[in-house]
Amino acid sequence: MSTEVKVPVLGESITEATIGEWLKKPGEAVALDEPIASLETDKVAIDVPSPVAGVMGDTLFAIGDTVEVGAVIANIEAGSGAAAKPVSAPAANAASDSTASSGDMPPLSPSVRRLVLEHGIDPTKVKGTGKDGRLTKEDVLAAANNAPEQNAATTDSAAAAPAASGPVRREERVRMTRLRQTIAKRLKSAQENAAMLTTFNDVDMTAVMETRGKYKDLFEKKHGVRLGFMGFFTKAAALAARDVPAVNAQIDGDEIIYFNYLDVSVAVSAPNGLVVPVIRSADQMSFAEIEKTIGDFGKRAKDGTLKMDEMMGGTFTISNGGVFGSLMSTPIINPPQSAVLGLHRIEQRPVVMPNGEIKARPMMYLALSYDHRIIDGKEAVTFLKSIKDSIEDPSRLLIDL
C-alpha cells in the first residue's frame, strides 16, 4: 500500500513551484511529517512533509522540474525502510569525477552541494545551522575558511597540472533558482513600469547611538531583545508617512490606494536569496515589538521556515544595506509599493556644527527611491527630511512630531 505525496497549497496566487532537492532517497525510512523534498517558489523554499510514516518510494519528478499545486510528486510505501547511508569524507579531487553521486552525501541543496565539492569539505564534520541542522552555504564557506589546507586543494582535475601550466581558467553554468528568477523579473519590472527616482540625505546618528548606549542593557533585560536601529527608523517612517501619505500609497490602474496603516517590508538575507517579510501594522508597534519581529524574521529566513503569507502585501519597504558595509545605494522599489527607504553604514565624518566648529560625527546616508507618478519631489524630500529630524532628535518620536 502506498500513499501519495502532493504539492501543498503554496499561498495566495502561487500555483506552481520547482523541485529544489529531494531530502529522502527511495528505500529510506520516513517518519510522519518528516520533510522529503524542498520546493522553490517565487518567494521562498518550502519543505514538503510526509503525510505518513513508511518508506520513501518513487520520486515522480527530477530536481529543477516545475510542479503545480496538488500534483503527486512521490509515493510513501508501507514498511520500516533503511536508515540513510553514512557519508564518507570526499577527497579533494573527488568532485572531478563526473559520475560522483549526490547519494554519497546527506541531503544538501544544489548550491551547498556544489560548495562542498568545490572546497573539498566533509559535510559530516560541519555543524549545520539551517533547519533541522541542515548545512547552509554560510556553514560550508565558514568551514572552508577555517581549513586553509583544504582550500588549497581544488575540485577540478585540471588543478593537478603542474604550476608551470599557469592558473586554471574555469567557467560554471548554474541554473537560476526560481526565487532568483522572480527577483530579477520584479526588479526589472519596477524599472520599466515606474517613474523611479531617488533622493538622498544624511543623518547624524549621535542621538540614537547615545540613546541605545544608555538604555540597551535595561531594554534587553526587560524585553529579551536587543535595541537596534530598525525600531527608530520604522517609527520615524510611520510618523513621516502620516504627513506624506503618498509615500505609503499604491497605484491601481487609474486609482490611488491610500492606507491608514503602515505594513513595512524588511529585506532579510536567506540562503537562497533576499526575502522580504512584512511587519504588519508597524505604526502601532512598540520598539520592542518591532525588534522582536525583525529578529524572528531573520532567524526563520535563515532556517527557511518563513510562511508565504508573511511575505505577502506590504505598503512600504526599508532595506538596510549598511549591515553589509554599503556606503550609498539607489534601492529599487518593491512593486506595487511606491517607495523604499535605504539605510547604509555609519561612519565618522567631519561635520560643520551650527557654531562653525568642525567635529567628527557618526553619519549615515539615507536614500529614498520612489515612484514619481504618485510622489512629487517635494513630498519625497519632505518625507526624508522628517525621518532625518526624528533620528537626530528621537524625542520627536515620543511626542508625535
Side-chain angles (χ1 to χ4, degrees):
M1 178 179 177
S2 64
T3 301
E4 296 179 337
V5 180
K6 298 181 179 181
V7 177
V9 175
L10 302 172
E12 181 183 353
S13 75
I14 299 178
T15 60
E16 61 182 24
T18 300
I19 301 291
E21 61 176 313
W22 288 105
L23 306 177
K24 286 291 184 177
K25 307 178 189 66
E28 288 185 355
V30 178
L32 174 65
D33 291 330
E34 183 177 7
I36 66 164
S38 178
L39 302 179
E40 294 177 356
T41 72
D42 294 348
K43 298 287 185 180
V44 70
I46 296 177
D47 285 344
V48 179
S50 173
V52 296
V55 180
M56 186 68 180
D58 295 333
T59 56
L60 307 182
F61 293 89
I63 292 175
D65 286 352
T66 297
V67 292
E68 296 183 351
V69 171
V72 178
I73 59 174
N75 293 294
I76 305 297
E77 307 293 343
S80 58
K85 296 180 180 179
V87 181
S88 58
N93 63 351
S96 63
D97 183 357
S98 61
T99 63
S101 170
S102 61
D104 294 333
M105 293 185 179
L108 303 173
S109 68
S111 59
V112 172
R113 183 180 297 109
R114 184 173 66 253
L115 284 176
V116 164
L117 295 175
E118 180 179 326
H119 292 283
I121 297 296
D122 182 354
T124 63
K125 296 181 179 179
V126 180
K127 184 178 179 180
T129 60
K131 183 180 179 182
D132 298 327
R134 286 159 58 187
L135 291 185
T136 66
K137 293 188 291 185
E138 291 78 6
D139 297 331
V140 177
L141 291 174
N145 290 334
N146 293 330
E149 69 281 358
Q150 291 187 7
N151 292 342
T154 177
T155 61
D156 198 300
S157 59
S165 64
V168 177
R169 290 163 54 87
R170 293 184 296 176
E171 295 181 0
E172 182 179 14
R173 188 179 295 269
V174 180
R175 179 182 176 274
M176 292 175 68
T177 65
R178 191 179 189 89
L179 175 59
R180 177 54 58 184
Q181 292 179 49
T182 300
I183 291 173
K185 291 177 181 177
R186 286 178 62 84
L187 294 182
K188 187 60 179 175
S189 173
Q191 290 182 317
E192 292 175 346
N193 297 327
M196 197 164 64
L197 187 64
T198 303
T199 186
F200 299 92
N201 213 322
D202 61 358
V203 58
D204 187 339
M205 297 292 292
T206 299
V208 166
M209 294 176 71
E210 289 178 349
T211 301
R212 287 184 68 211
K214 183 177 181 179
Y215 295 111
K216 65 178 181 180
D217 293 337
L218 289 174
F219 186 89
E220 186 169 3
K221 182 178 180 180
K222 180 176 181 178
H223 300 291
V225 65
R226 294 180 62 187
L227 178 60
F229 292 128
M230 286 296 289
F232 290 94
F233 280 102
T234 301
K235 284 290 188 181
L239 286 180
R242 293 179 188 176
D243 295 331
V244 189
V247 173
N248 191 44
Q250 297 176 7
I251 293 178
D252 184 16
D254 58 357
E255 297 179 329
I256 298 176
I257 305 173
Y258 291 96
F259 303 96
N260 69 347
Y261 54 86
L262 185 75
D263 283 355
V264 178
S265 303
V266 287
V268 177
S269 290
N272 292 327
L274 202 67
V275 293
V276 191
V278 180
I279 307 175
R280 309 289 178 186
S281 298
D283 54 315
Q284 301 298 319
M285 286 186 170
S286 67
F287 280 82
E289 290 171 331
I290 292 170
E291 296 295 349
K292 286 179 180 178
T293 302
I294 293 173
D296 178 61
F297 282 159
K299 181 179 183 301
R300 291 194 291 121
K302 186 176 182 181
D303 294 342
T305 58
L306 283 173
K307 299 177 181 178
M308 297 300 299
D309 58 1
E310 292 176 313
M311 289 175 285
M312 306 298 290
T315 61
F316 181 76
T317 294
I318 299 179
S319 178
N320 187 5
V323 297
F324 304 110
S326 172
L327 175 64
M328 183 181 289
S329 67
T330 55
I332 300 176
I333 60 176
N334 181 23
Q337 297 174 21
S338 299
V340 52
L341 175 67
L343 311 182
H344 301 89
R345 77 169 185 252
I346 301 170
E347 64 175 10
Q348 292 286 328
R349 291 201 296 271
V351 176
V352 180
M353 307 304 293
N355 62 1
E357 184 180 2
I358 298 178
K359 289 186 177 181
R361 308 288 281 190
M363 304 297 293
M364 175 195 288
Y365 286 117
L366 303 178
L368 181 74
S369 292
Y370 59 98
D371 190 341
H372 212 343
R373 296 177 302 167
I374 182 175
I375 303 169
D376 294 331
K378 179 182 178 181
E379 293 176 308
V381 172
T382 300
F383 179 87
L384 201 55
K385 181 63 165 54
S386 175
I387 291 178
K388 172 183 172 70
D389 291 342
S390 294
I391 297 301
E392 293 186 339
D393 183 7
S395 60
R396 298 170 67 96
L397 299 176
L398 302 177
I399 56 178
D400 198 10
L401 287 179

